[in-house]
mmCIF file of all heavy atoms in Angstrom:
data_model
loop_
_atom_site.group_PDB
_atom_site.id
_atom_site.type_symbol
_atom_site.label_atom_id
_atom_site.label_comp_id
_atom_site.label_asym_id
_atom_site.label_seq_id
_atom_site.Cartn_x
_atom_site.Cartn_y
_atom_site.Cartn_z
ATOM 1 N N THR C 510 22.672 -47.284 108.361
ATOM 2 C CA THR C 510 22.422 -48.024 107.118
ATOM 3 C C THR C 510 20.975 -47.822 106.654
ATOM 4 O O THR C 510 20.709 -47.579 105.470
ATOM 5 C CB THR C 510 22.707 -49.522 107.314
ATOM 6 O OG1 THR C 510 24.079 -49.688 107.708
ATOM 7 C CG2 THR C 510 22.463 -50.302 106.037
ATOM 8 N N ILE C 511 20.036 -47.928 107.604
ATOM 9 C CA ILE C 511 18.624 -47.726 107.254
ATOM 10 C C ILE C 511 18.390 -46.288 106.798
ATOM 11 O O ILE C 511 17.679 -46.032 105.818
ATOM 12 C CB ILE C 511 17.715 -48.075 108.440
ATOM 13 C CG1 ILE C 511 17.819 -49.571 108.775
ATOM 14 C CG2 ILE C 511 16.264 -47.712 108.143
ATOM 15 C CD1 ILE C 511 17.039 -49.985 110.009
ATOM 16 N N SER C 512 19.002 -45.335 107.516
ATOM 17 C CA SER C 512 18.829 -43.925 107.149
ATOM 18 C C SER C 512 19.335 -43.677 105.736
ATOM 19 O O SER C 512 18.670 -43.001 104.933
ATOM 20 C CB SER C 512 19.572 -43.025 108.143
ATOM 21 O OG SER C 512 19.023 -43.130 109.439
ATOM 22 N N ASP C 513 20.501 -44.217 105.417
ATOM 23 C CA ASP C 513 21.051 -44.048 104.062
ATOM 24 C C ASP C 513 20.138 -44.686 103.021
ATOM 25 O O ASP C 513 19.930 -44.128 101.925
ATOM 26 C CB ASP C 513 22.445 -44.674 103.984
ATOM 27 C CG ASP C 513 23.479 -43.894 104.793
ATOM 28 O OD1 ASP C 513 23.209 -42.723 105.123
ATOM 29 O OD2 ASP C 513 24.548 -44.449 105.103
ATOM 30 N N LEU C 514 19.606 -45.853 103.356
ATOM 31 C CA LEU C 514 18.713 -46.552 102.442
ATOM 32 C C LEU C 514 17.461 -45.722 102.153
ATOM 33 O O LEU C 514 17.041 -45.569 101.003
ATOM 34 C CB LEU C 514 18.328 -47.908 103.043
ATOM 35 C CG LEU C 514 17.304 -48.744 102.262
ATOM 36 C CD1 LEU C 514 17.873 -49.163 100.910
ATOM 37 C CD2 LEU C 514 16.885 -49.974 103.066
ATOM 38 N N LEU C 515 16.883 -45.153 103.217
ATOM 39 C CA LEU C 515 15.660 -44.359 103.051
ATOM 40 C C LEU C 515 15.934 -43.060 102.292
ATOM 41 O O LEU C 515 15.146 -42.659 101.423
ATOM 42 C CB LEU C 515 15.048 -44.063 104.422
ATOM 43 C CG LEU C 515 14.430 -45.268 105.144
ATOM 44 C CD1 LEU C 515 14.094 -44.917 106.590
ATOM 45 C CD2 LEU C 515 13.195 -45.766 104.414
ATOM 46 N N VAL C 516 17.016 -42.400 102.619
ATOM 47 C CA VAL C 516 17.360 -41.157 101.925
ATOM 48 C C VAL C 516 17.578 -41.418 100.433
ATOM 49 O O VAL C 516 17.147 -40.633 99.581
ATOM 50 C CB VAL C 516 18.602 -40.506 102.567
ATOM 51 C CG1 VAL C 516 19.121 -39.361 101.702
ATOM 52 C CG2 VAL C 516 18.273 -39.994 103.968
ATOM 53 N N SER C 517 18.229 -42.538 100.117
ATOM 54 C CA SER C 517 18.462 -42.858 98.708
ATOM 55 C C SER C 517 17.164 -43.184 97.976
ATOM 56 O O SER C 517 17.122 -43.179 96.749
ATOM 57 C CB SER C 517 19.431 -44.041 98.595
ATOM 58 O OG SER C 517 18.859 -45.223 99.110
ATOM 59 N N ASN C 518 16.110 -43.453 98.746
ATOM 60 C CA ASN C 518 14.796 -43.712 98.152
ATOM 61 C C ASN C 518 13.868 -42.502 98.256
ATOM 62 O O ASN C 518 12.648 -42.641 98.161
ATOM 63 C CB ASN C 518 14.154 -44.925 98.825
ATOM 64 C CG ASN C 518 14.685 -46.237 98.273
ATOM 65 O OD1 ASN C 518 14.200 -46.741 97.259
ATOM 66 N ND2 ASN C 518 15.711 -46.785 98.920
ATOM 67 N N GLY C 519 14.447 -41.335 98.466
ATOM 68 C CA GLY C 519 13.669 -40.100 98.422
ATOM 69 C C GLY C 519 13.078 -39.633 99.728
ATOM 70 O O GLY C 519 12.285 -38.690 99.745
ATOM 71 N N PHE C 520 13.436 -40.266 100.858
ATOM 72 C CA PHE C 520 12.901 -39.865 102.156
ATOM 73 C C PHE C 520 13.757 -38.756 102.771
ATOM 74 O O PHE C 520 14.950 -38.634 102.483
ATOM 75 C CB PHE C 520 12.855 -41.057 103.116
ATOM 76 C CG PHE C 520 11.698 -41.978 102.885
ATOM 77 C CD1 PHE C 520 11.722 -42.907 101.857
ATOM 78 C CD2 PHE C 520 10.580 -41.935 103.703
ATOM 79 C CE1 PHE C 520 10.665 -43.772 101.635
ATOM 80 C CE2 PHE C 520 9.505 -42.791 103.510
ATOM 81 C CZ PHE C 520 9.547 -43.711 102.470
ATOM 82 N N ASN C 521 13.127 -37.974 103.637
ATOM 83 C CA ASN C 521 13.827 -36.964 104.438
ATOM 84 C C ASN C 521 13.646 -37.301 105.911
ATOM 85 O O ASN C 521 12.549 -37.665 106.344
ATOM 86 C CB ASN C 521 13.268 -35.563 104.177
ATOM 87 C CG ASN C 521 13.621 -35.055 102.804
ATOM 88 O OD1 ASN C 521 14.793 -34.901 102.478
ATOM 89 N ND2 ASN C 521 12.626 -34.803 101.972
ATOM 90 N N GLU C 522 14.706 -37.146 106.682
ATOM 91 C CA GLU C 522 14.597 -37.415 108.117
ATOM 92 C C GLU C 522 13.989 -36.208 108.821
ATOM 93 O O GLU C 522 14.311 -35.058 108.524
ATOM 94 C CB GLU C 522 15.964 -37.723 108.720
ATOM 95 C CG GLU C 522 15.889 -38.073 110.201
ATOM 96 C CD GLU C 522 17.196 -38.564 110.791
ATOM 97 O OE1 GLU C 522 18.207 -38.533 110.063
ATOM 98 O OE2 GLU C 522 17.204 -38.969 111.966
ATOM 99 N N MET C 523 13.102 -36.472 109.767
ATOM 100 C CA MET C 523 12.510 -35.418 110.585
ATOM 101 C C MET C 523 12.890 -35.631 112.044
ATOM 102 O O MET C 523 13.160 -36.758 112.475
ATOM 103 C CB MET C 523 10.982 -35.400 110.446
ATOM 104 C CG MET C 523 10.288 -36.690 110.815
ATOM 105 S SD MET C 523 8.479 -36.577 110.795
ATOM 106 C CE MET C 523 8.169 -35.974 112.456
ATOM 107 N N LEU C 524 12.951 -34.551 112.781
ATOM 108 C CA LEU C 524 13.240 -34.601 114.211
ATOM 109 C C LEU C 524 12.137 -33.841 114.928
ATOM 110 O O LEU C 524 11.901 -32.667 114.633
ATOM 111 C CB LEU C 524 14.596 -33.957 114.521
ATOM 112 C CG LEU C 524 15.821 -34.632 113.914
ATOM 113 C CD1 LEU C 524 17.061 -33.764 114.121
ATOM 114 C CD2 LEU C 524 16.045 -35.991 114.543
#
Side-chain angles (χ1 to χ4, degrees):
T510 301
I511 295 175
S512 296
D513 291 342
L514 176 65
L515 290 169
V516 169
S517 66
N518 279 275
F520 281 79
N521 290 299
E522 183 172 6
M523 58 174 274
L524 297 171

